[in-house]
Amino acid sequence: RSVREEGTLSPLHVRIAIAIIFAMSVMTFSLVSYADFIAPDTAADPATQSFSQLYSYLAFLFSIPVLVLLGGPMLKRLRDRQRGHSVWLEILVLAGISAAFVLSAVNLIRGEGHTYFETVVITLLLWSLGRYTEALIRTRAMLAVRDASAAAERPCLRLTADGSAVDEVLVNALRQGDVIRLRAGDVAPVDGCIVKGTAFVDEAVTTGE
C-alpha cells in the first residue's frame, strides 16, 4: 500500500522515521558505555562510571520505542503467517533481538556485564529497512508486469505501408513487419526494434534491473 501511494506519508514511513531517530539516540548513548575501550585510563573514574550507567539507562529507555514500532509488526506477521508460509528466518532474527535485549536489561539492573541495546535497535532497523526495500522492488516489478500486460489489451497505433497515416488496431492484429508508433509514456506492446526516432526506454520488466 505504501508503494502504491508513493509520495504520501504512510504510517509505515512514520514508524520507520521515528524508529531511526530513537535508534540514533541509542547509538549516541551507547558510546559512553565503551569508555573503557576508548579511554582505559578514565574507565575507573567514578564520574565516568556514573555517566556510563546513566547513559545505559537512557539507551534502554530509548530502545523500547524501536522494539514497539518495528518489533511489533514482526510479531503480527508471525501470528498472521504461522500457518503455511515459512517464517524461520524472521523467527531467528526476532529471537536473537529479544535475547540480546533481555540480557542487556538484566546486566543493566545487576550493574555488571555489557549491554547491547545499540546492537538490538540497529539490527531491527536494518532488518525492517531491508524488508521494506524488498517489498518496494517486488511491488514495482508487479506493477510493471501489470502495466505491460494491460498494454497488450489496449489498441496501438500502426503505421500504413507508406508511413503516411496511422490506424488503431489491437495487438492481436499485428503481423511481422508492421511498424507501430509509440508516444511518450506508452508501454511497448510487442517485441521489436526501433526503426526511427530516439527515446529512453524502461527495460526493467525484461532485464530485472
Side-chain angles (χ1 to χ4, degrees):
R1 185 164 57 247
S2 299
V3 175
R4 293 176 184 274
E5 300 170 0
E6 194 170 1
T8 63
L9 194 62
S10 71
L12 174 62
H13 297 143
V14 174
R15 282 205 312 269
I16 291 179
I18 296 175
I20 289 175
I21 295 174
F22 278 99
M24 293 301 101
S25 300
V26 172
M27 289 291 293
T28 303
F29 296 144
S30 299
L31 285 176
V32 183
S33 64
Y34 292 99
D36 52 342
F37 296 102
I38 299 173
D41 297 337
T42 62
D45 183 24
T48 302
Q49 294 178 355
S50 299
F51 272 108
S52 178
Q53 187 176 20
L54 172 62
Y55 281 107
S56 295
Y57 274 103
L58 289 175
F60 166 70
L61 293 176
F62 276 65
S63 63
I64 294 176
V66 181
L67 290 175
V68 174
L69 291 170
L70 301 182
M74 289 181 67
L75 288 174
K76 184 178 183 300
R77 286 196 300 269
L78 291 177
R79 183 195 64 190
D80 295 341
R81 299 189 303 175
Q82 59 184 350
R83 298 177 181 177
H85 296 85
S86 175
V87 291
W88 290 112
L89 184 57
E90 201 157 43
I91 290 176
L92 289 175
V93 172
L94 193 58
I97 291 172
S98 302
F101 181 79
V102 171
L103 175 64
S104 300
V106 170
N107 289 343
L108 180 61
I109 295 173
R110 293 171 55 191
E112 59 181 23
H114 293 287
T115 58
Y116 307 98
F117 297 116
E118 76 285 353
T119 305
V120 170
V121 296
I122 291 301
T123 302
L124 189 55
L125 181 61
L126 291 177
W127 173 265
S128 300
L129 288 175
R131 289 298 305 270
Y132 174 73
T133 304
E134 178 187 359
L136 186 73
I137 295 173
R138 183 186 297 116
T139 305
R140 283 181 175 174
M142 288 189 297
L143 293 176
V145 172
R146 185 198 65 184
D147 293 341
S149 300
E153 301 174 1
R154 292 195 298 263
C156 58
L157 301 177
R158 181 175 60 181
L159 297 176
T160 56
D162 57 2
S164 59
V166 295
D167 56 337
E168 285 193 353
V169 297
L170 294 177
V171 175
N172 294 336
L174 293 177
R175 296 293 179 264
Q176 185 173 359
D178 285 346
V179 179
I180 62 174
R181 173 176 294 171
L182 293 179
R183 295 161 296 191
D186 280 351
V187 177
V190 292
D191 191 15
C193 59
I194 299 175
V195 296
K196 184 179 180 181
T198 57
F200 291 100
V201 180
D202 183 4
E203 299 179 339
V205 69
T206 56
T207 63
E209 297 179 3

